[in-house]
Amino acid sequence: MSENARGCSDGSCTRESCAGCEHSKESMLEQLNQYSSIKNVIGIVSGKGGVGKSFVTAMLAVLLNRKGYRVGILDADITGPSIPRMFGITGKASANEFGLLPELTVNNIKIMSVNLLLDKEDSPVVWRGPILAGTVKQFWTDVVWEELDYLFIDMPPGTGDVPLTVFQSIPLDGIVIVSSPQDLVSMIVKKAYNMAKLMNIPILGYVENMSYVKCPDCGKEIPIFGESKLGEIASETGVDILGRIPIDPVLASLVDKGEFERFSCDYLNGAAEHIEKCMK
Ligand code: ADP
């Protein structure tokens, strides 16, 4: 066993005291629901909320679904769940003797989110960290996903207790880190990068969201959040940039109408191909 950032190499650490140790990571993994079989689990991560993590999760899921793969989305952003809304899902999840059943989008992407379990979509989730993390674990252990080629996890934002527990509980095959061009966000991207490194989770690449706005009259790209720093971070960390998404009013309106599956842009086509190539 190799030595990790905390100098732990003999596997004798306890679960709580050593977040990055291979041994503790393995021992904390939760069992997938026995009626599910998932080939690839991909986490979509951001160092902070509001940069478009759910947006990127949904776009990648739709693109892989369009390629003919069986795709699910586990909405682990328990306090800010936006996935069901984007796909126009307002129904409630049901259950049978085998577990909790995900809802289906128009094109059969399977979705599980806390919003499918609440009485009212706008009820706040005022739970403490362990309950939040416990709910995400249940979406792994109790949901009957059946057979999936790709499960995309819209991770809880940040690098605190809840994302840490999710990183340790669910065997992620890779993560995509989402950022926006602001300086502040670039700094926070490195936190997400370092957390993934500490946890030994492969980083598939970066996606920059809200990169620019295209002038509807002359087509000029205007970097309203300033010039991107992601190129520098990418070369510093040796991680590829998989795609850049502009602020696009057409996409925003599809989100609001719950018709996100109908988008026709190609901003993340390269990212979807990359995922397809480097996963099982
Ligand atoms: P996060 O998951 O990081 O908190 P979201 O994906 O929920 O962020 O995005 C925040 C808001 O910004 C949502 O209303 C989303 O629809 C909108 N949004 C995100 N990216 C774009 C974009 N590229 N173009 C237009 N609207 C966007």
Side-chain angles (χ1 to χ4, degrees):
M1 183 172 293
S2 62
E3 199 171 274
N4 73 0
R6 296 190 184 193
C8 169
S9 58
D10 63 0
S12 61
C13 61
T14 58
R15 288 147 57 130
E16 279 76 22
S17 68
C18 191
C21 168
E22 259 307 308
H23 173 253
S24 67
K25 190 176 125 193
E26 274 167 27
S27 63
M28 288 181 80
L29 286 178
E30 297 285 334
Q31 277 290 321
L32 178 64
N33 174 274
Q34 59 172 315
Y35 303 103
S36 302
S37 161
I38 302 175
K39 281 196 193 149
N40 299 289
V41 184
I42 299 169
I44 313 298
V45 173
S46 68
K48 71 186 273 298
V51 297
K53 182 174 48 58
S54 309
F55 201 82
V56 169
T57 306
M59 196 173 267
L60 289 174
V62 171
L63 289 170
L64 269 305
N65 173 256
R66 284 182 188 167
K67 285 173 179 280
Y69 293 107
R70 296 161 299 180
V71 174
I73 303 178
L74 188 164
D75 186 359
D77 193 350
I78 302 291
T79 53
S82 37
I83 294 290
R85 255 296 180 100
M86 297 180 80
F87 290 92
I89 293 177
T90 50
K92 295 289 156 252
S94 50
N96 62 20
E97 69 264 43
F98 307 117
L100 207 50
L101 305 175
E103 282 285 288
L104 292 178
T105 69
V106 172
N107 293 314
N108 290 325
I109 296 174
K110 294 183 175 173
I111 307 271
M112 181 48 71
S113 167
V114 75
N115 260 10
L116 305 181
L117 306 174
L118 298 173
D119 284 342
K120 279 177 33 212
E121 190 194 46
D122 54 4
S123 301
V125 175
V126 278
W127 300 339
R128 296 199 188 271
I131 309 284
L132 297 176
T135 307
V136 177
K137 284 189 210 168
Q138 273 186 286
F139 288 171
W140 178 252
T141 56
D142 297 0
V143 171
V144 185
W145 293 101
E146 298 180 293
E147 300 221 341
L148 288 183
D149 297 304
Y150 294 96
L151 179 68
F152 288 94
I153 304 189
D154 185 0
M155 295 284 285
T159 49
D161 179 44
V162 182
L164 177 65
T165 310
V166 177
F167 268 129
Q168 288 177 315
S169 315
I170 298 180
L172 292 163
D173 294 297
I175 62 160
V176 172
I177 301 179
V178 183
S179 78
S180 66
Q182 280 167 298
D183 245 4
L184 171 75
V185 178
S186 316
M187 179 270 286
I188 289 168
V189 165
K190 284 208 201 141
K191 283 191 196 287
Y193 168 86
N194 287 326
M195 183 171 177
K197 281 281 163 201
L198 181 71
M199 310 295 297
N200 287 317
I201 295 167
I203 302 170
L204 299 171
Y206 299 121
V207 168
E208 186 173 82
N209 188 29
M210 308 187 189
S211 290
Y212 56 90
V213 175
K214 204 170 211 165
C215 170
D217 299 323
C218 67
K220 187 175 173 209
E221 293 178 4
I222 306 159
I224 56 168
F225 287 124
E227 291 302 330
S228 172
K229 299 276 188 329
L230 195 58
E232 286 164 36
I233 297 178
S235 45
E236 210 180 294
T237 53
V239 173
D240 292 337
I241 299 175
L242 302 180
R244 288 193 152 92
I245 311 174
I247 296 179
D248 185 336
V250 175
L251 293 175
S253 125
L254 288 174
V255 167
D256 288 343
K257 288 192 280 190
E259 295 176 359
F260 194 70
E261 250 169 330
R262 297 176 58 176
F263 73 76
S264 57
C265 62
D266 59 1
Y267 307 129
L268 289 190
N269 285 11
E273 268 161 38
H274 181 80
I275 289 173
E276 194 181 14
K277 243 187 275 157
C278 56
M279 293 282 117
K280 290 166 237 160

